[in-house]
Amino acid sequence: MIRVLLAAAIGLAATAPAATPVHAETLYVRAGHLVDPEAGAVLGARLLRVEDGRVAAVLPDGPAPKGAKVVDWSAFTVLPGLIDCHVHLADTGQTANVAEPLLHSPMEIAYIGARNARTTLMAGFTTVHDVGSFRAFADVELREAINRGDVIGPRMQAVGAYVTVPGGGGEVTGFSPEVRIPEDMRAGVITDAADARAKVNYLFQHGADSIKLIATGAVLASGTEAGQQELTEDEMRAAVEVAATRKSWVTAHAHGAAGIKAAIRAGVRAIEHASLIDDEGIALAKAKGVWLDMDIYNGDYIADVGRKEHWPENYLRKNDETTEAQRLAFRKAVKAGVKLSFGTDAGVYPHGENARQFAYMVRYGMTPMQAIQSATTSAAELMGWSKDVGALSAGHFADMIAVPGDPTADITVLQKVAHVMKGGEVVR
């Protein structure tokens, strides 16, 4: 099992994200246009003063002080760095082989995670919520490597391992009963509410920032059905209560309507997928202020590539059963005013293509600005990091991207990121 440094043993979502190592300096960023998601507006030319990795001021366009270091993005539209609330960086990626997670050592997973982290950052996603890998704490170790400066990647929150029932949607499944799965792939398997408390405490003690519950079956797991509830409401409430003592939060993978509503009643902050949510679930999410993190691009990738690569037939069937239902539910949730964050399930499709989802969000009911806000201010609020990321007003980290054109006129320009800055350092 990948071991976690003692210094990382208490990673709480309530704490600020780690600062990017920077030299104490002042620089200026010249923006041709500036997207302000806090105001929901596209501003004209601006000059951003950056001090020690954070935005110190947003100034009218004009000359920088003589001799100042200037990053000239005057030919581009500048936005806050984007946030994806549902990625799997420290994982092998989806293939047709159900044994894929067993074919890679923990050491190899570390290198794969480093590659995926860099790819994600270069695509303009400067912050992510990594919601798990099959190798327990691989995501935590990746977060620490990024924070130390050993690896180039986005700011991360990590969950450590999936909290799931035996043989459930968070397990490596599809094998004969006598096949023994490595223990580090079963760190979050629970059997009752007491076990849930123990395992969630264990995850926090070893560096988790937040917790990921597998409330229902999964599309991409054999032996489970997406609509079937797996964790009980009591088990999920136990996890939420432990997280609250750590000043942290819980998200729940949930496709089926019953599992979604049980998770919301149990007190989770967000629902991943929400594919088969019903009208009652949408109303409950709005009433409770729960985010829906709906990966509405993913279904097309699975249907196309999955069939070409001959993924298991039960995966493809479940994807067909959930894709359009999820998109219709997304449209309803937008209309109802439910909180919606940007989450893509990157790792099922290739990392770095996260921005493809924006066009789907606009197609299914959001304005381009709402889609941008889902990946900036809304995502930052979900993660508890609003003071640090998701905007470019004074005090926020100087995490920003430059794109050729106005994303509120053509949201697909977010797939064409020209420049990336993280913490005042230009990384692309």
Side-chain angles (χ1 to χ4, degrees), residues 202-213:
Y202 174 78
L203 295 176
F204 279 122
Q205 289 161 1
H206 290 79
D209 296 293
S210 50
I211 297 298
K212 166 80 171 288
L213 305 177

Side-chain angles (χ1 to χ4, degrees), residues 27 29 54 71 75-76 79 87 95 105 115 125 134 164 167 173 187 192 242 271 273-274 294 311 328 355 379 396 417:
L27 62 86
V29 179
R54 290 184 183 262
V71 175
F76 299 93
L79 301 89
V87 303
T95 73
S105 69
R115 179 194 65 201
F125 287 81
F134 285 116
T164 185
T173 61
D192 56 28
V242 172
I271 300 290
H273 307 298
M294 301 174 76
W311 292 10
L328 293 175
H396 287 86
V417 172

Side-chain angles (χ1 to χ4, degrees), residues 66-401:
K66 185 176 180 179
K69 180 179 179 180
V70 177
V71 175
D72 187 0
W73 289 349
S74 57
F76 299 93
T77 299
V78 175
L79 301 89
L82 302 172
I83 303 170
D84 193 330
C85 293
H86 188 143
V87 303
H88 302 275
L89 296 183
D91 223 332
T92 59
Q94 188 64 47
T95 73
N97 189 351
V98 296
E100 189 69 38
L102 302 176
L103 304 181
H104 306 270
S105 69
M107 291 75 77
E108 185 180 1
I109 292 296
Y111 286 112
I112 290 171
R115 179 194 65 201
N116 293 338
R118 185 182 192 281
T119 298
T120 299
L121 180 61
M122 295 305 160
F125 287 81
T126 55
T127 299
V128 299
H129 186 213
D130 192 299
V131 290
S133 59
F134 285 116
R135 295 281 184 184
F137 306 117
D139 53 351
V140 172
E141 291 284 13
L142 179 59
R143 180 198 68 204
E144 292 306 293
I146 292 170
N147 290 348
R148 289 192 303 267
D150 299 340
V151 169
I152 296 172
R155 305 181 195 280
M156 283 179 63
Q157 283 184 21
V159 301
Y162 307 118
V163 177
T164 185
V165 300
E171 283 257 58
V172 182
T173 61
F175 307 102
S176 300
E178 68 273 11
V179 174
R180 184 176 177 83
I181 304 300
E183 286 304 309
D184 70 338
M185 292 186 171
R186 309 197 74 234
V189 176
I190 64 136
T191 55
D192 56 28
D195 200 18
R197 290 182 184 277
K199 293 291 175 60
V200 169
N201 267 312
Y202 174 78
L203 295 176
F204 279 122
Q205 289 161 1
H206 290 79
D209 296 293
S210 50
I211 297 298
K212 166 80 171 288
L213 305 177
I214 308 297
T216 74
V219 170
L220 303 178
S222 296
T224 74
E225 288 298 323
Q228 182 178 352
Q229 184 175 337
E230 293 185 343
L231 289 173
T232 69
E233 189 170 329
D234 284 346
E235 289 165 345
M236 291 189 277
R237 185 172 291 107
V240 169
E241 289 173 354
V242 172
T245 67
R246 302 276 183 163
K247 296 182 171 58
S248 187
W249 61 286
V250 176
T251 190
H253 156 113
H255 290 284
I260 291 168
K261 288 180 282 191
I264 294 174
R265 289 193 299 266
V268 303
R269 187 184 291 187
I271 300 290
E272 312 293 336
H273 307 298
S275 304
L276 304 175
I277 192 170
D278 59 16
D279 291 346
E280 182 185 12
I282 289 173
L284 189 61
K286 183 174 183 181
K288 298 288 189 181
V290 170
W291 276 264
L292 302 183
D293 200 47
M294 301 174 76
D295 53 331
I296 61 171
Y297 160 65
N298 225 5
D300 281 359
Y301 180 87
I302 295 170
D304 179 22
V305 175
R307 283 190 164 83
K308 288 177 181 176
E309 295 183 355
H310 306 291
W311 292 10
E313 192 55 42
N314 71 92
Y315 290 10
L316 301 177
R317 170 185 60 79
K318 289 184 285 184
N319 183 64
D320 290 343
E321 291 170 353
T322 55
T323 294
E324 287 308 313
Q326 183 191 45
R327 292 169 181 175
L328 293 175
F330 180 87
R331 188 184 293 278
K332 285 184 176 182
V334 173
K335 190 171 293 187
V338 177
K339 292 180 178 180
L340 291 157
S341 51
F342 186 91
T344 66
D345 209 0
V348 172
Y349 68 87
H351 294 279
E353 297 182 6
N354 314 57
R356 288 178 178 267
Q357 181 164 289
F358 285 110
Y360 284 70
M361 298 173 90
V362 171
R363 185 186 309 168
Y364 288 94
M366 280 188 164
T367 67
M369 182 57 75
Q370 285 176 321
I372 291 167
Q373 289 168 326
S374 78
T376 52
T377 50
S378 185
E381 185 183 355
L382 168 58
M383 294 177 68
W385 283 358
S386 291
K387 292 182 179 179
D388 294 293
V389 300
L392 288 173
S393 51
H396 287 86
F397 281 120
D399 296 352
M400 62 189 88
I401 64 173

Side-chain angles (χ1 to χ4, degrees), residues 30-53:
R30 193 178 301 285
H33 289 85
L34 180 68
V35 175
D36 180 357
E38 292 177 302
V42 180
L43 310 178
R46 292 292 189 273
L47 190 67
L48 290 84
R49 187 173 81 244
V50 175
E51 295 178 356
D52 300 338

